[in-house]
Amino acid sequence: MGKFEVMDHPLIQHKLTMIRDKNVGTKFFRETVKEISTLMAYEVARDMPLKDVEVETPIAKTTKKELAGKKVAIIPILRAGLGMVDGMTDLIPAAKIGFIGMYRDEETLKPHEYFVKLPNDITERQLFIVDPMLATGGSAMMAIEALKKRGCSEKNMKFACLVAAPEGVKAVREAYPDVDIYAAGLDDHLNKDGYIVPGLGDAGDRLFGTK
Ligand code: PRP
Ligand code: URA
């Protein structure tokens, strides 16, 4: 079973609380999502494998650690996932970026896929799928399925979001038990319109100033 981790670092909690405020403008919202994403990248990368390498310091030769294993691809679920990419590449600058375009039908709450563009070597990479909101879980599950259809393994997938609803976490974990899930906050429930309560509203609209 993959892990489900709520990141309780004080800086993450503080910044998440700031962007929940409905009076916060687009610029501040976007900058803070980026900052939270950088902090989350640090935690999501915590179990990346290391290998021994020799290095010669100005004083002596020594054997120390460097990253081994799979290289990373960050996969934002469009649109809102885009807001988390730059924060993550600040820490993992060589990551390749793949895109999965998806929107949720406002009536049915079912996701619709409209775009997929992935690096050629996607099946060889450790995948960080990013989307600020995990609500019903429909979009996350369709993104995971799109990656599996192209040969990616669940075991190589980590899903990172800012706010998760218990309903979405349960759905994704039941359908894809090997995918690790990381959330900056776990909220109470979904309302009848499929919004996370208390949540932070529509993440895409708040990031890009649309409404
Ligand atoms: C939002 C959000 C997730 C999805 C979550 O995207 O960014 O992708 O809803 O809901 P779910 O877990 O119930 O599927 P939206 O469809 O609003 O598109 P956008 O990113 O273009 O705003
Ligand atoms: N998508 C959002 O952007 N916000 C929610 O609360 C639920 C889905």
Side-chain angles (χ1 to χ4, degrees):
M1 190 82 176
K3 64 175 85 155
F4 169 55
E5 201 175 306
V6 180
M7 296 178 168
D8 55 1
H9 191 288
L11 286 173
I12 294 180
Q13 297 309 306
H14 178 77
K15 288 173 190 292
L16 181 60
T17 300
M18 287 200 291
I19 57 168
R20 287 183 189 273
D21 184 343
K22 67 177 185 183
N23 297 311
V24 153
T26 302
K27 176 176 183 287
F28 184 86
F29 189 91
R30 194 183 295 146
E31 287 169 355
T32 308
V33 167
K34 179 177 180 231
E35 288 171 5
I36 296 171
S37 305
T38 303
L39 295 166
M40 289 186 77
Y42 178 81
E43 285 297 330
V44 173
R46 183 171 287 284
D47 57 7
M48 283 170 86
L50 296 168
K51 66 178 181 195
D52 286 340
V53 286
E54 285 197 358
V55 58
E56 189 170 354
T57 76
I59 310 299
K61 277 191 180 165
T62 181
T63 302
K64 294 293 174 195
K65 304 287 184 193
E66 72 171 21
L67 287 172
K70 293 185 168 49
K71 299 202 183 320
V72 170
I74 299 168
I75 318 285
I77 301 179
L78 308 182
R79 285 176 306 164
L82 281 176
M84 296 179 71
V85 173
D86 287 354
M88 292 224 163
T89 53
D90 276 357
L91 279 197
I92 313 168
K96 289 190 177 178
I97 315 293
F99 301 89
I100 299 183
M102 223 165 259
Y103 71 89
R104 206 170 70 141
D105 183 297
E106 284 177 12
E107 299 293 319
T108 65
L109 302 183
K110 296 271 175 277
H112 293 269
E113 184 183 296
Y114 59 85
F115 184 68
V116 178
K117 182 76 181 171
L118 302 169
N120 289 337
D121 58 354
I122 191 78
T123 57
E124 308 302 319
R125 289 182 175 259
Q126 167 73 65
L127 308 181
F128 293 178
I129 308 164
V130 296
D131 188 329
M133 309 306 277
L134 177 60
T136 64
S139 304
M141 291 191 286
M142 193 177 263
I144 293 167
E145 203 52 49
L147 291 163
K148 286 186 73 171
K149 218 161 60 187
R150 289 162 179 83
C152 300
S153 158
E154 269 180 56
K155 286 196 161 44
N156 291 341
M157 298 182 202
K158 293 171 182 287
F159 180 88
C161 61
L162 300 190
V163 183
E167 295 91 327
V169 174
K170 182 168 181 284
V172 176
R173 277 172 78 71
E174 277 175 10
Y176 302 103
D178 286 334
V179 177
D180 292 333
I181 303 176
Y182 301 84
L186 177 64
D187 277 12
D188 296 344
H189 63 278
L190 295 175
N191 68 15
K192 65 172 178 29
D193 300 318
Y195 278 87
I196 301 175
V197 182
L200 48 72
D202 187 308
D205 283 346
R206 297 198 67 194
L207 270 168
F208 299 112
T210 48
K211 201 157 162 46

